[in-house]
Amino acid sequence: MSYWRPQQTIQVKALGLVWRQGLLLASEIYRDDGTLKGVRPLGGRVEFGETWRETLVREFQEELGVDVGVANAPMVFENIYLHHGMRGHEVVFAAEVTFPEGAYPTNDPIEYAEDNGETCIARWFDINTLDCGGPDLYPTGLKARVMG
């Protein structure tokens, strides 16, 4: 297991909100001790010269092997946070995306690999249980924006 820490520069991220039967697909985030800290929608860092939309398509292709459709304009917000005592700073583009017909047809967990080779798990979560006794939803404030 690798120990992730925020880069000490402002990052631009694109996150895809995949919904199915009221459930949100999100990847698990763990503390260094292996306990579940929270969950975050799939996506990643916007590369130089790439639009947020291109990032979403690329990230889902790399991680899950699917060509997603971007369903709407993004919510854009700034996220400054602490993770294991280190400050992170990101500008986030979060937009609904859709899977192609027949892709991941069940609500089973989805195992995928990050670009560093680390195995990750994405699950379908009832957003109403996140941030209130269940795992936290990251980035902080996303739940309020989605439900707002």
Side-chain angles (χ1 to χ4, degrees), residues 1 12 15 22 28 40 50 52 59 63 65 69 78 83 92 94 98 100 102-103 105 107 114 127 136-137 148:
M1 173 185 277
V12 179
L15 301 178
E28 297 175 338
R40 180 181 183 108
E50 185 178 55
W52 66 268
E59 286 286 340
E63 293 177 350
E78 187 173 36
H83 180 71
V92 178
T98 57
N107 289 351
E114 281 286 354
I127 196 165
D136 288 332
L137 177 62

Side-chain angles (χ1 to χ4, degrees), residues 29-87:
I29 300 169
Y30 292 92
R31 294 181 186 90
D32 288 354
D33 66 6
T35 58
L36 184 64
K37 178 178 181 177
V39 299
R40 180 181 183 108
L42 280 71
R45 187 171 58 89
V46 176
E47 302 288 341
F48 182 79
E50 185 178 55
T51 67
W52 66 268
R53 185 180 296 268
E54 291 166 337
T55 298
L56 284 179
V57 172
R58 175 183 52 78
E59 286 286 340
F60 276 86
Q61 181 54 239
E62 289 174 358
E63 293 177 350
L64 300 185
V66 296
D67 293 318
V68 295
V70 179
N72 61 357
M75 295 175 276
V76 181
F77 57 99
E78 187 173 36
N79 182 36
I80 299 173
Y81 61 96
L82 285 175
H83 180 71
H84 287 283
M86 291 191 70
R87 184 173 302 278

